[in-house]
Amino acid sequence: MFMKCTKGLTITALVQFVLLIRCCNSIDSITTDQAIRDGEVLVSNGEVFELGFFRPGKSTNHYVGIWYKKDVEKTVVWVANRDNPINDTSGVLSIGAHGNLILYARNQTNIPVWSTKSNVSISSSSTPDPKYKAQLLITGNLVLVEQDSQKRTGFSWFLTSWKSKDDPGTGNYTYAIDPNGAPQIIFYNGNVRYWRSGNWNGIRWWWGAIPVVRDTNC
Protein backbone atom coordinates (compact mmCIF):
# COMPACT_ATOMS: atom_id res chain seq x y z
CA MET A 1 0.00 0.00 0.00
CA PHE A 2 2.83 2.39 0.85
CA MET A 3 4.57 1.73 -2.47
CA LYS A 4 1.37 2.39 -4.46
CA CYS A 5 0.85 5.67 -2.64
CA THR A 6 4.43 6.73 -3.27
CA LYS A 7 4.11 5.88 -6.96
CA GLY A 8 0.97 7.98 -7.20
CA LEU A 9 2.68 10.93 -5.56
CA THR A 10 5.64 10.56 -7.89
CA ILE A 11 3.44 10.61 -11.00
CA THR A 12 1.55 13.65 -9.70
CA ALA A 13 4.79 15.49 -9.01
CA LEU A 14 6.07 14.63 -12.49
CA VAL A 15 2.91 15.95 -14.17
CA GLN A 16 3.11 19.18 -12.17
CA PHE A 17 6.77 19.55 -13.14
CA VAL A 18 5.98 19.11 -16.85
CA LEU A 19 3.16 21.67 -16.66
CA LEU A 20 5.51 24.10 -14.90
CA ILE A 21 8.08 23.70 -17.66
CA ARG A 22 5.43 24.38 -20.33
CA CYS A 23 4.30 27.50 -18.51
CA CYS A 24 7.82 28.83 -18.15
CA ASN A 25 8.71 28.05 -21.76
CA SER A 26 5.92 30.09 -23.42
CA ILE A 27 7.39 32.47 -25.97
CA ASP A 28 6.18 35.74 -27.51
CA SER A 29 8.25 35.78 -30.71
CA ILE A 30 9.81 33.77 -33.51
CA THR A 31 12.91 34.44 -35.61
CA THR A 32 13.71 33.43 -39.17
CA ASP A 33 14.84 29.95 -38.13
CA GLN A 34 11.56 29.21 -36.31
CA ALA A 35 7.92 28.68 -37.25
CA ILE A 36 4.45 28.31 -35.72
CA ARG A 37 2.50 25.20 -36.71
CA ASP A 38 -1.15 24.40 -36.14
CA GLY A 39 -1.46 23.61 -32.43
CA GLU A 40 1.43 25.88 -31.37
CA VAL A 41 1.06 29.42 -30.02
CA LEU A 42 2.85 32.62 -29.14
CA VAL A 43 1.91 34.17 -25.80
CA SER A 44 2.40 37.87 -25.11
CA ASN A 45 4.19 39.15 -22.03
CA GLY A 46 1.79 38.97 -19.09
CA GLU A 47 -0.21 36.24 -20.89
CA VAL A 48 -2.80 38.75 -22.10
CA PHE A 49 -2.90 37.72 -25.77
CA GLU A 50 -2.25 34.52 -27.67
CA LEU A 51 -1.48 33.93 -31.35
CA GLY A 52 -2.02 30.67 -33.18
CA PHE A 53 -4.41 28.71 -35.38
CA PHE A 54 -8.12 28.65 -34.59
CA ARG A 55 -11.48 27.58 -36.02
CA PRO A 56 -14.31 30.15 -35.60
CA GLY A 57 -17.74 29.04 -34.46
CA LYS A 58 -18.91 25.93 -36.28
CA SER A 59 -16.45 26.33 -39.16
CA THR A 60 -13.95 23.58 -40.01
CA ASN A 61 -11.59 26.08 -41.63
CA HIS A 62 -8.34 27.07 -39.93
CA TYR A 63 -7.10 30.64 -39.55
CA VAL A 64 -4.14 32.38 -37.91
CA GLY A 65 -5.39 34.88 -35.36
CA ILE A 66 -4.81 36.72 -32.10
CA TRP A 67 -7.21 36.36 -29.18
CA TYR A 68 -7.51 37.11 -25.47
CA LYS A 69 -5.76 34.21 -23.77
CA LYS A 70 -7.71 34.23 -20.49
CA ASP A 71 -11.10 34.97 -22.05
CA VAL A 72 -13.42 31.94 -21.83
CA GLU A 73 -14.81 32.78 -25.28
CA LYS A 74 -11.27 33.31 -26.69
CA THR A 75 -12.45 36.52 -28.36
CA VAL A 76 -10.47 37.03 -31.58
CA VAL A 77 -9.11 40.53 -32.21
CA TRP A 78 -7.16 39.94 -35.46
CA VAL A 79 -7.16 37.39 -38.29
CA ALA A 80 -4.35 36.98 -40.83
CA ASN A 81 -5.76 34.80 -43.63
CA ARG A 82 -9.36 35.83 -43.14
CA ASP A 83 -10.20 35.52 -46.85
CA ASN A 84 -7.97 32.50 -47.51
CA PRO A 85 -8.76 29.77 -44.95
CA ILE A 86 -6.85 26.50 -44.63
CA ASN A 87 -9.04 23.38 -44.66
CA ASP A 88 -6.73 21.19 -42.58
CA THR A 89 -4.02 21.35 -39.88
CA SER A 90 -1.07 21.74 -42.25
CA GLY A 91 -0.63 25.50 -41.79
CA VAL A 92 2.83 26.90 -40.99
CA LEU A 93 3.57 30.55 -40.17
CA SER A 94 7.19 31.69 -40.54
CA ILE A 95 9.44 34.58 -41.59
CA GLY A 96 10.37 34.29 -45.26
CA ALA A 97 13.67 34.94 -47.02
CA HIS A 98 12.66 38.52 -47.77
CA GLY A 99 11.77 39.48 -44.22
CA ASN A 100 7.99 39.07 -44.34
CA LEU A 101 5.67 36.82 -42.38
CA ILE A 102 4.40 34.05 -44.65
CA LEU A 103 1.66 31.47 -44.09
CA TYR A 104 1.86 28.22 -46.05
CA ALA A 105 -0.30 25.11 -46.15
CA ARG A 106 0.32 21.58 -47.43
CA ASN A 107 0.94 21.44 -51.20
CA GLN A 108 1.10 25.25 -51.32
CA THR A 109 4.79 25.85 -50.61
CA ASN A 110 5.23 27.93 -53.75
CA ILE A 111 2.15 30.11 -53.27
CA PRO A 112 1.56 31.44 -49.75
CA VAL A 113 -1.92 31.48 -48.26
CA TRP A 114 -1.14 34.88 -46.73
CA SER A 115 1.85 37.18 -46.23
CA THR A 116 2.74 40.65 -44.93
CA LYS A 117 4.01 43.39 -47.21
CA SER A 118 6.51 45.21 -45.03
CA ASN A 119 9.36 47.26 -46.47
CA VAL A 120 11.99 45.33 -44.53
CA SER A 121 15.02 44.71 -46.75
CA ILE A 122 17.41 41.87 -46.02
CA SER A 123 20.11 39.93 -47.83
CA SER A 124 19.41 38.98 -51.46
CA SER A 125 20.44 35.44 -50.57
CA SER A 126 17.68 32.84 -50.30
CA THR A 127 18.86 32.09 -46.76
CA PRO A 128 16.71 33.93 -44.17
CA ASP A 129 18.42 36.61 -42.09
CA PRO A 130 18.26 35.59 -38.37
CA LYS A 131 18.29 39.23 -37.22
CA TYR A 132 14.55 39.61 -37.88
CA LYS A 133 11.75 38.42 -35.64
CA ALA A 134 7.98 38.59 -35.30
CA GLN A 135 6.82 39.49 -31.80
CA LEU A 136 3.40 39.45 -30.13
CA LEU A 137 3.27 42.50 -27.87
CA ILE A 138 1.39 42.92 -24.61
CA THR A 139 -0.92 45.33 -26.50
CA GLY A 140 -2.04 42.52 -28.80
CA ASN A 141 -0.13 43.84 -31.82
CA LEU A 142 1.99 41.47 -33.90
CA VAL A 143 5.05 43.35 -35.16
CA LEU A 144 7.92 42.46 -37.45
CA VAL A 145 11.13 43.95 -36.05
CA GLU A 146 14.82 44.10 -36.81
CA GLN A 147 16.43 42.87 -33.61
CA ASP A 148 19.44 45.19 -33.76
CA SER A 149 17.43 48.38 -34.24
CA GLN A 150 13.95 47.25 -33.03
CA LYS A 151 12.60 49.01 -36.15
CA ARG A 152 8.92 48.39 -36.70
CA THR A 153 7.26 48.57 -40.09
CA GLY A 154 3.87 48.43 -41.75
CA PHE A 155 1.57 50.44 -39.43
CA SER A 156 -1.98 50.41 -40.82
CA TRP A 157 -4.75 50.07 -38.24
CA PHE A 158 -8.49 49.80 -38.84
CA LEU A 159 -11.44 47.60 -37.88
CA THR A 160 -13.34 45.54 -40.45
CA SER A 161 -16.41 43.43 -39.76
CA TRP A 162 -16.63 39.64 -40.19
CA LYS A 163 -19.06 38.09 -42.66
CA SER A 164 -20.54 36.06 -39.80
CA LYS A 165 -19.53 34.53 -36.46
CA ASP A 166 -18.46 31.40 -38.37
CA ASP A 167 -16.67 33.27 -41.15
CA PRO A 168 -14.05 35.96 -40.40
CA GLY A 169 -13.88 36.90 -44.09
CA THR A 170 -13.86 40.62 -44.91
CA GLY A 171 -17.31 42.07 -44.23
CA ASN A 172 -18.99 45.22 -45.54
CA TYR A 173 -18.20 47.60 -42.68
CA THR A 174 -14.93 49.34 -41.83
CA TYR A 175 -14.09 51.66 -38.93
CA ALA A 176 -10.93 53.71 -39.49
CA ILE A 177 -9.16 56.96 -38.61
CA ASP A 178 -8.54 59.38 -41.45
CA PRO A 179 -5.23 61.12 -40.55
CA ASN A 180 -5.42 63.69 -43.36
CA GLY A 181 -5.82 67.23 -42.07
CA ALA A 182 -7.62 67.20 -38.71
CA PRO A 183 -7.95 63.46 -37.88
CA GLN A 184 -11.47 62.06 -37.69
CA ILE A 185 -13.10 58.64 -37.37
CA ILE A 186 -14.77 57.37 -40.56
CA PHE A 187 -17.31 54.55 -40.77
CA TYR A 188 -17.51 52.92 -44.22
CA ASN A 189 -20.24 50.76 -45.72
CA GLY A 190 -18.31 49.15 -48.55
CA ASN A 191 -16.48 52.02 -50.24
CA VAL A 192 -19.04 54.59 -49.17
CA ARG A 193 -18.37 56.94 -46.27
CA TYR A 194 -21.44 56.29 -44.17
CA TRP A 195 -20.62 58.26 -41.02
CA ARG A 196 -17.88 60.42 -39.52
CA SER A 197 -17.03 61.84 -36.13
CA GLY A 198 -15.91 65.33 -35.27
CA ASN A 199 -12.21 66.19 -35.42
CA TRP A 200 -9.53 65.12 -32.95
CA ASN A 201 -8.17 68.13 -31.02
CA GLY A 202 -5.27 66.33 -29.36
CA ILE A 203 -7.29 65.51 -26.25
CA ARG A 204 -10.67 64.16 -27.38
CA TRP A 205 -12.99 63.77 -30.36
CA TRP A 206 -15.34 66.69 -30.98
CA TRP A 207 -18.39 64.52 -31.56
CA GLY A 208 -20.72 67.50 -31.83
CA ALA A 209 -18.43 69.75 -33.83
CA ILE A 210 -19.33 68.28 -37.25
CA PRO A 211 -22.83 66.96 -38.00
CA VAL A 212 -23.22 63.27 -38.60
CA VAL A 213 -23.35 62.63 -42.34
CA ARG A 214 -25.06 59.64 -43.92
CA ASP A 215 -24.45 60.11 -47.62
CA THR A 216 -21.61 59.84 -50.16
CA ASN A 217 -20.70 63.53 -49.86
CA CYS A 218 -19.35 63.40 -46.31
Side-chain angles (χ1 to χ4, degrees):
M1 179 65 68
F2 176 76
M3 291 183 65
K4 289 183 179 180
C5 181
T6 303
K7 183 178 180 180
L9 291 174
T10 302
I11 293 174
T12 301
L14 180 60
V15 170
Q16 291 176 340
F17 179 70
V18 170
L19 291 176
L20 178 62
I21 290 177
R22 283 189 174 183
C23 178
C24 295
N25 285 344
S26 61
I27 58 174
D28 66 356
S29 62
I30 58 171
T31 57
T32 47
D33 59 348
Q34 298 171 312
I36 301 174
R37 293 172 174 78
D38 203 311
E40 300 175 340
V41 296
L42 293 182
V43 181
S44 70
N45 186 26
E47 298 191 346
V48 179
F49 293 96
E50 199 166 59
L51 178 147
F53 290 81
F54 75 100
R55 292 184 301 169
K58 298 178 181 178
S59 174
T60 58
N61 290 324
H62 295 243
Y63 301 84
V64 169
I66 298 173
W67 56 85
Y68 286 98
K69 176 178 172 56
K70 297 180 181 179
D71 182 7
V72 176
E73 300 295 329
K74 300 294 182 182
T75 303
V76 176
V77 298
W78 177 78
V79 185
N81 57 317
R82 59 187 304 174
D83 295 312
N84 294 287
I86 299 173
N87 59 12
D88 55 29
T89 60
S90 66
V92 178
L93 180 67
S94 61
I95 300 176
H98 298 288
N100 280 288
L101 281 168
I102 301 179
L103 175 62
Y104 288 107
R106 184 182 293 120
N107 299 325
Q108 294 176 304
T109 55
N110 294 324
I111 302 176
V113 175
W114 171 88
S115 68
T116 58
K117 298 179 180 179
S118 73
N119 58 5
V120 172
S121 177
I122 65 175
S123 170
S124 59
S125 169
S126 60
T127 303
D129 189 333
K131 292 189 300 182
Y132 291 90
K133 71 176 180 179
Q135 183 175 23
L136 179 61
L137 304 182
I138 193 172
T139 58
N141 291 319
L142 177 64
V143 295
L144 186 63
V145 301
E146 184 178 359
Q147 295 188 70
D148 292 340
S149 66
Q150 293 298 302
K151 176 185 175 181
R152 302 178 186 176
T153 63
F155 286 102
S156 180
W157 297 337
F158 52 88
L159 300 176
T160 305
S161 64
W162 288 22
K163 289 183 177 180
S164 71
K165 65 179 182 179
D166 300 322
D167 183 357
T170 302
N172 292 328
Y173 303 101
T174 302
Y175 201 57
I177 294 178
D178 183 356
N180 298 316
Q184 55 186 326
I185 297 175
I186 305 293
F187 181 68
Y188 295 88
N189 183 352
N191 295 322
V192 177
R193 290 187 177 185
Y194 187 72
W195 176 89
R196 65 175 176 172
S197 71
N199 297 329
W200 173 255
N201 67 358
I203 300 176
R204 64 180 181 272
W205 299 103
W206 284 100
W207 295 102
I210 299 178
V212 173
V213 179
R214 296 184 183 277
D215 58 34
T216 59
N217 299 315
C218 60

